[in-house]
């Protein structure tokens, strides 16, 4: 089955610790995205990558880092510099056609709680 | 950051009622508008991608219209069923920024009571 997997589903960490959220896709998509959702807010873009070894900051990149060493994988690290890391994190991917209006496909999400 | 507004924030209807909600977006530099459905405990799933002014898309009982000149899109659900209960998200692609980047609204949460 083709799709996007995120692990783990729930993650608990102590304040001050870095934590890495996994995102893997087997859809052969070029573009991948990380979003954050907080109660009452829309999805906000953290980072995105349109191609391997390249990524750009989204609207709320401070305190986060990413890598894109393989087409299938786009891990997100929440660093201790992120002031309010407790949130629901969604990963997505898309084909990146010439038009740039491609549908995004989402993973199941990871709920991170920092204690 | 571009502003995408959705209204209402939440909606409760009876089974069989028809309903509609609105997505407003900047009317300049329009490129595309996406609608997604997000059911509880599932991943958001794409409903429609709309690119042309006057576009109308339909999937079963759900349809959407697009007015790029005035900057709005309507989503209609005819004869709502309990399985339509979900949050409906719209997302805007701006032609002036990186293509493929979506700007999401906060969503309309629909609850359909049997």
């Amino acid at each position: 089955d083709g799709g996007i997997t995120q692990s783990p589903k729930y993650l608990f960490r102590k304040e001050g610790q870095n934590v890495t959220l996994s995102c893997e896709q087997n859809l052969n998509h070029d573009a991948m995205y990380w979003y954050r959702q907080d109660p009452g807010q829309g999805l906000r873009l953290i980072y995105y990558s349109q191609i391997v070894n390249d990524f750009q900051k989204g609207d709320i990149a401070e305190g986060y880092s990413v890598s894109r060493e393989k087409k299938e994988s786009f891990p997100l690290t929440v660093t201790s510099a992120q002031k309010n890391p407790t949130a629901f994190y969604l990963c997505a991917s898309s084909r990146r056609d010439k038009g740039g209006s491609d549908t995004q496909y989402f993973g199941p999400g990871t709920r991170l709680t920092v204690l | 950051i571009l502003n995408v507004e959705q209204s209402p924030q939440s909606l409760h209807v009876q089974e069989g009622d028809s309903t509609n909600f609105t997505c407003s977006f900047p009317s300049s530099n329009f490129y595309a508008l996406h609608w997604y459905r997000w059911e509880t405990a599932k991943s958001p799933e794409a409903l429609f991608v709309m690119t042309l002014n006057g576009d109308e898309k339909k999937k079963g009982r759900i349809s959407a219209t697009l007015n790029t000149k005035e900057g709005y899109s309507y989503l209609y659900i005819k004869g709502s069923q309990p399985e339509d209960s979900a949050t409906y998200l719209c997302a805007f692609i701006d032609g002036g920024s990186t293509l493929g980047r979506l700007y999401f609204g906060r969503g309309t949460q629909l609850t359909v009571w049997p």
Side-chain angles (χ1 to χ4, degrees), chain B residues 1-2 7 13 16 21-23 25-26 31 33 37 50 53-54 61 64 68 72 74 76 80 86 92 95-96 104:
Chain B
I1 298 178
L2 298 177
S7 62
V13 302
F21 17 97
T22 306
C23 173
F25 51 84
Y31 195 83
L33 188 87
R37 174 167 59 199
M50 309 180 81
N53 185 42
R61 294 178 291 98
T68 61
Y72 64 83
Y74 293 138
Y76 300 92
S80 303
F92 170 73
F104 281 89

Side-chain angles (χ1 to χ4, degrees), chain A:
Chain A
D1 280 334
I4 301 180
T5 56
Q6 290 184 245
S7 60
K9 192 170 181 178
Y10 299 96
L11 191 53
F12 296 88
R13 277 296 181 267
K14 289 184 179 178
E15 197 171 338
Q17 289 181 333
N18 290 357
V19 61
T20 297
L21 280 56
S22 163
C23 177
E24 304 277 330
Q25 55 99 356
N26 60 5
L27 299 168
N28 200 32
H29 285 170
D30 287 311
M32 296 186 75
Y33 310 83
W34 273 106
Y35 295 94
R36 168 181 172 141
Q37 196 207 24
D38 295 281
Q41 301 238 28
L43 296 178
R44 292 185 291 167
L45 184 65
I46 305 172
Y47 266 98
Y48 61 106
S49 167
Q50 297 179 324
I51 199 165
V52 173
N53 291 324
D54 186 47
F55 47 83
Q56 288 82 39
K57 292 182 180 180
D59 301 321
I60 54 166
E62 187 176 345
Y64 299 97
S65 66
V66 292
S67 62
R68 187 85 189 277
E69 295 174 7
K70 298 187 297 180
K71 190 175 186 178
E72 310 79 47
S73 178
F74 191 39
L76 174 76
T77 297
V78 185
T79 75
S80 56
Q82 167 50 232
K83 292 188 180 2
N84 188 15
T86 294
F88 186 69
Y89 292 88
L90 268 175
C91 179
S93 70
S94 69
R95 240 182 2 175
R96 283 297 285 132
D97 68 3
K98 290 181 190 174
S101 62
D102 250 3
T103 296
Q104 290 190 10
Y105 295 82
F106 288 85
T110 292
R111 186 166 297 281
L112 173 65
T113 302
V114 175
L115 306 169

Side-chain angles (χ1 to χ4, degrees), chain B residues 66-82:
Chain B
L66 179 68
N67 184 324
T68 61
K69 296 189 187 312
E70 296 182 38
Y72 64 83
S73 175
Y74 293 138
L75 190 81
Y76 300 92
I77 303 179
K78 186 177 174 182
S80 303
Q81 299 296 309

